Amino acid sequence: MAFRIAQALSSIGKLALATAIGASLIAGDVAAQQKQPSPGSAKAIFGGVQLPTQGAPQPFGFYAKGCMAGAEALPTDGPNWQAMRLSRNRRWGNPAMLSTIEQLSRDAAKYDGWPGLLVGDIAQPRGGPMITGHASHQIGLDADIWLTPMPNFRMTAEQREALPFTTMLQKNAFLTINPNVWTPAHARLLMRAASYPQVERIFVNPAIKKKMCDTWTGDRTNLGKLRPEYGHDSHFHIRIKCPPGAANCKPQAPVVAGDGCDKSLAWWFSPAPWAKPKPPKPDAKPVKPREVMVSDLPKACQAVLDAPAVSSVRAATYGGPSAAEVLRAQPIDAPPAANDDELPDLGPVPDDKPAAQ
């Protein structure tokens, strides 16, 4: 596998050119994600809702096309985690997702030498498409965990907004792990998360996947759950299965058998992901892109938007401010923090390759 990847890398040409191409594509994705949606779009409508619905938790639709009812907020602080970027108001999720985060925070601290989780985006109060940053995270069953260890003090809201992301990649080297940043504890954390039966996939940068393939000497049964995906070099993305009894939740195709350290990984290091799409035929009718509307989502999502909000938000169990207190202190339209270099989560297509550029 290493030989195939080396061959693929050589076929790209100069590393500087490959890096420049990648930066250009990513910049285009960021610009597209940051474009302000029209007031009637699903992004604008779901992004403007501040509180979840009353009633039992229910996911509706698919990870990248849906919404949710009865969401709960992850407390801002727990024994082994701290929630980040509170102004985004995106720490809402299905209770099954929150339980998974809490379980990982405990187990990683107890068994893997990981001091605690910094938890990024989960979902909006009623899920749905986000104005910026993600294509998935719409039904409360996705969560981003930073690859930065939690500090040994409770950060202020301001510190949580300003703390920069730390990439695991080496500067000026195409898809290469930085040995001064990556540690064995990172590997143990990822494999701990992958060991849970409810975890469907964990998205990581292709370079991280290759590092795990080359160096992980423990049980490799769950290594196949680590799926390569650009934009995950400073955090990893946990996706859990549809909870039992969630009849309106659309599952993703199961991960294929094996550890994923084969030609499917070599593809990410080849010129293929950077290839330009074929030009349309001269007589082809141009397709004008349009924004996703609420009517494009499952029918239940309109009812989710119309449902009454909870009258009060459960206070944080472990001592931090409640979600309602954060909302009062941090308006949800606060500008992005400086140094916020998080890359957009493109939402993988079913074969786990990036969407066409």
Side-chain angles (χ1 to χ4, degrees):
M1 193 269 293
F3 176 72
R4 286 197 297 270
I5 290 179
Q7 282 186 315
L9 280 171
S10 66
S11 67
I12 295 178
K14 294 181 179 180
L15 293 179
L17 176 61
T19 304
I21 292 172
S24 174
L25 288 171
I26 290 170
D29 287 329
V30 172
Q33 291 279 349
Q34 298 294 339
K35 183 180 178 182
Q36 290 299 309
S38 64
S41 70
K43 286 184 177 182
I45 294 172
F46 276 96
V49 178
Q50 296 191 25
L51 292 170
T53 67
Q54 300 174 14
Q58 292 188 68
F60 296 99
F62 188 62
Y63 301 93
K65 188 178 181 181
C67 59
M68 66 171 167
E72 294 183 7
L74 182 76
T76 53
D77 296 286
N80 303 110
W81 80 79
Q82 295 186 46
M84 302 299 289
R85 305 296 196 253
L86 302 178
S87 67
R88 294 182 177 185
N89 195 29
R90 294 177 177 178
R91 57 190 177 98
W92 303 88
N94 187 283
M97 185 74 253
L98 306 189
S99 295
T100 299
I101 294 171
E102 294 180 14
Q103 179 183 10
L104 178 60
S105 74
R106 290 192 306 268
D107 291 347
K110 184 175 181 179
Y111 302 112
D112 304 314
W114 194 259
L117 306 180
L118 297 182
V119 183
D121 290 352
I122 305 173
Q124 299 173 140
R126 303 189 189 195
M130 295 183 181
I131 294 175
T132 60
H134 305 279
S136 57
H137 289 257
Q138 294 193 28
I139 57 176
L141 303 177
D142 296 283
D144 287 344
I145 308 296
W146 289 28
L147 287 165
T148 303
M150 187 183 80
N152 61 359
F153 61 91
R154 180 178 292 178
M155 290 183 285
T156 65
E158 291 76 16
Q159 289 171 325
R160 297 171 201 237
E161 295 294 321
L163 185 69
F165 296 89
T166 300
T167 179
M168 298 293 107
L169 301 184
Q170 194 163 315
K171 191 176 181 180
N172 299 324
F174 181 67
L175 290 182
T176 303
I177 292 294
N178 184 347
N180 298 320
V181 178
W182 178 263
T183 69
H186 285 93
R188 292 193 296 269
L189 174 66
L190 288 172
M191 293 307 293
R192 178 69 55 188
S195 71
Y196 300 144
Q198 73 271 28
V199 171
E200 175 74 35
R201 282 166 166 75
I202 296 176
F203 299 110
V204 295
N205 185 274
I208 295 176
K209 173 68 178 185
K210 181 178 183 297
K211 181 71 172 179
M212 295 294 295
C213 287
D214 292 346
T215 62
W216 184 252
T217 58
D219 183 1
R220 296 170 74 93
T221 303
N222 296 303
L223 188 55
K225 289 185 181 181
L226 269 59
R227 312 305 298 174
E229 183 74 27
Y230 295 123
H232 295 81
D233 56 290
S234 59
H235 74 278
F236 63 98
H237 174 159
I238 298 178
R239 173 169 293 172
I240 66 172
K241 299 176 182 178
C242 293
N248 297 301
C249 179
K250 182 180 179 182
Q252 189 166 2
V255 171
V256 296
D259 60 11
C261 302
D262 51 19
K263 64 181 181 181
S264 65
L265 176 58
W267 181 90
W268 294 88
F269 294 82
S270 75
W274 315 102
K276 292 182 179 180
K278 293 180 180 178
K281 295 179 180 178
D283 57 345
K285 220 177 199 181
V287 178
K288 185 178 179 182
R290 70 176 185 86
E291 294 183 274
V292 174
M293 310 303 285
V294 175
S295 58
D296 297 318
L297 302 177
K299 290 181 179 179
C301 291
Q302 184 60 61
V304 167
L305 287 171
D306 295 339
V310 293
S311 56
S312 62
V313 179
R314 177 173 65 90
T317 305
Y318 300 103
S322 70
E325 290 170 330
V326 170
L327 286 172
R328 287 195 292 270
Q330 300 272 343
I332 62 170
D333 59 352
N339 300 317
D340 189 352
D341 59 351
E342 183 178 21
L343 299 178
D345 184 338
L346 299 178
V349 294
D351 63 358
D352 295 317
K353 293 178 181 179
Q357 301 292 341

